[in-house]
Amino acid sequence: MRSALVTGVNGQDGSYLAELLLSKGYRVIGLVRRTAAENPYSRVNHLLPRLKLVEGDLLDAGSLIRALELAEPDEVYNLAAQSFVGVSFREPVATADITGVGTLRLLEAVRQVAPHARFYQASSSEMFGNVAAPQNEISPFRPRSPYAVAKLFAHASCITYRESYGMYVACGILFNHESPRRGAEFVTRKISLAVAAIARQEQRTLTLGSLDARRDWGWAPEYVDVMHRMLQMDRPEDFVVGTGVAHSVKDFCQAAFEAAGLDWREHVVQDPELMRPAEVFDLRADSSKARELLNWEPSMDLKDIASAMVRHDLGLSQETAGGPVWPRGLAR
Ligand code: NAP
Ligand code: G4F
């Protein structure tokens, strides 16, 4: 039985990845940090006790060493991060420490405790900044947020460990991916939750920042599948992963409101306070390498994603308790 340690297991991606790995027969250990919340592990409660949880924090090297000793992993997936770009402008140092140096702490712990484990790093399309789309593995990185700077430090650390120590370290440069498990602060979920509240007549307006920024939005369960595929390759490589199609925030609003029979123009207002100090305007993936070498093909488009999220938030589909809404055509 293969064993995997997943950091950030209670995040959107961590919860889907844990499901996928359990379904493949892995022993899965998820790293969680201590919290005072009443229902702290809400995204993975349904996987317990098959999923084992171990306490640890990317800020605390000793806790990472302990987790690795306990897990004895064949594969380590580093998904933990302060992952919200907006917050990174308000908490830049914490973001650097968790998302950037935290990855280095984990890499070093793996080098000492489990040097033969295969390591997946959750790198981000945000690292490209405003480099011309489409972006691929040879596009330059021009980070425009403290989050992107931290992710780039982590990404470069991974490559350094791969090249210096011969460790199996692979980075997935993933573009935005969404689901009903997306945190409520990210724009797609903020929109789908607001659409549901407006449809129930609990709220009238939705306040957003930039409506023109474009993102390549995919479906999260399909993206955790690619993480696993990356660690099954003969040698470690980095991959860009996205659908290849970009839409504006306005387009997502239109699709989400239409899914509930509403007109977004009657409800969406803009507030300059929600604009970021620096914006990334156009992210669109060229994933030819992943399509060719990993045989990976996304199947959900913007309308499918917006509609699945709105249906969930309207209470029309139960996702978290009963298992994920696996997309069409995805082999489990
Ligand atoms: P997410 O939902 O925000 O999950 C992040 C997880 O990291 C949470 O479970 C969080 O724990 C954990 N975490 C935060 N700080 C930690 C610390 N100091 N020690 C240990 N755990 C910590 O993020 P996601 O959307 O699943 O994304 C997964 C990874 O992919 C992240 O690294 C993100 O930056 C990256 N990424 C995401 C996307 C995307 O579109 N989703 C695209 C590219 C890259 P709590 O539950 O306690 O808060
Ligand atoms: O949903 P967002 O906050 O995601 P963002 O900044 O693209 O970052 C996400 O994707 C990255 C991959 O590219 C990940 F690495 C990262 O961890 C995260 O998962 O914002 C999307 C766009 C931005 O242009 C933002 O300015 O939506 C715009 N936006 C407009 N109004 C808003 C809002 N974003 C948020 N969160 N809230 C708004 O009210």
Side-chain angles (χ1 to χ4, degrees):
M1 188 188 255
R2 279 188 294 172
S3 177
L5 176 68
V6 180
T7 74
V9 76
N10 192 48
Q12 171 188 256
D13 291 5
S15 63
Y16 285 123
L17 179 64
E19 267 161 25
L20 181 74
L21 295 174
L22 286 170
S23 78
K24 289 181 181 292
Y26 278 72
R27 170 174 164 262
V28 185
I29 298 93
L31 188 90
V32 289
R33 54 183 177 165
R34 193 262 160 189
T35 154
E38 260 183 52
N39 186 11
Y41 310 130
S42 54
R43 290 193 183 94
V44 290
N45 272 338
H46 64 291
L47 298 177
L48 306 175
R50 277 192 310 148
L51 168 69
K52 311 281 178 233
L53 297 180
V54 56
E55 254 181 16
D57 197 306
L58 287 187
L59 295 172
D60 186 305
S63 73
L64 302 177
I65 288 173
R66 188 177 149 267
L68 285 161
E69 285 172 346
L70 199 133
E72 296 182 18
D74 300 295
E75 296 173 11
V76 175
Y77 295 86
N78 183 33
L79 308 187
Q82 190 306 91
S83 73
F84 187 41
V85 174
V87 159
S88 80
F89 286 102
R90 299 187 287 277
E91 298 178 15
V93 178
T95 301
D97 206 358
I98 297 169
T99 305
V101 182
T103 300
L104 181 56
R105 279 187 202 99
L106 184 61
L107 277 169
E108 183 54 24
V110 170
R111 186 175 81 85
Q112 290 180 25
V113 176
H116 301 298
R118 296 185 169 202
F119 189 101
Y120 173 86
Q121 168 61 12
S123 291
S124 167
S125 56
E126 186 73 12
M127 299 186 308
F128 292 120
N130 283 335
V131 161
Q135 297 89 7
N136 63 21
E137 291 79 5
I138 55 170
S139 300
F141 295 122
R142 303 228 176 89
R144 276 172 70 78
S145 64
Y147 167 80
V149 171
K151 277 288 178 191
L152 186 52
F153 174 86
H155 184 77
S157 300
C158 286
I159 294 171
T160 303
Y161 269 58
R162 180 167 74 211
E163 293 179 352
S164 308
Y165 304 117
M167 287 167 60
Y168 191 114
V169 180
C171 304
I173 306 173
L174 269 51
F175 285 59
N176 300 50
H177 44 278
E178 316 299 311
S179 76
R181 293 187 199 170
R182 189 58 143 150
E185 67 274 41
F186 297 93
V187 78
T188 55
R189 190 77 198 289
K190 182 174 172 181
I191 295 168
S192 68
L193 285 166
V195 166
I198 291 168
R200 287 193 299 264
Q201 301 192 327
E202 293 165 2
Q203 146 180 357
R204 282 198 54 77
T205 55
L206 163 64
T207 309
L208 294 174
S210 167
L211 297 180
D212 297 322
R214 297 171 69 79
R215 291 291 183 274
D216 179 337
W217 280 295
W219 184 240
E222 295 185 328
Y223 287 57
V224 301
D225 180 56
V226 88
M227 297 172 189
H228 178 258
R229 285 177 196 229
M230 281 179 60
L231 291 200
Q232 313 316 309
M233 300 282 288
D234 287 342
R235 59 192 180 92
E237 289 190 48
D238 304 330
F239 288 90
V240 156
V241 178
T243 69
V245 181
H247 292 278
S248 65
V249 172
K250 203 186 295 176
D251 294 335
F252 194 94
C253 284
Q254 185 176 354
F257 278 84
E258 271 177 8
L262 297 165
D263 183 344
W264 73 277
R265 288 166 300 191
E266 293 172 10
H267 301 281
V268 174
V269 295
Q270 271 186 291
D271 182 348
E273 284 282 307
L274 292 177
M275 304 283 186
R276 293 178 178 168
E279 182 59 89
V280 170
F281 293 109
D282 193 15
L283 291 176
R284 177 163 56 91
D286 166 8
S287 293
S288 321
K289 182 180 172 188
R291 285 170 198 256
E292 194 184 322
L293 296 184
L294 301 173
N295 200 17
W296 180 80
E297 200 65 51
S299 72
M300 298 272 281
D301 69 16
L302 182 89
K303 272 194 177 170
D304 296 332
I305 294 165
S307 149
M309 292 174 72
V310 167
R311 281 179 59 76
H312 174 272
D313 291 336
L314 282 168
L316 298 177
S317 74
Q318 286 207 332
E319 202 269 338
T320 306
V325 186
W326 286 91
R328 299 187 291 269
L330 177 64
R332 291 195 60 185

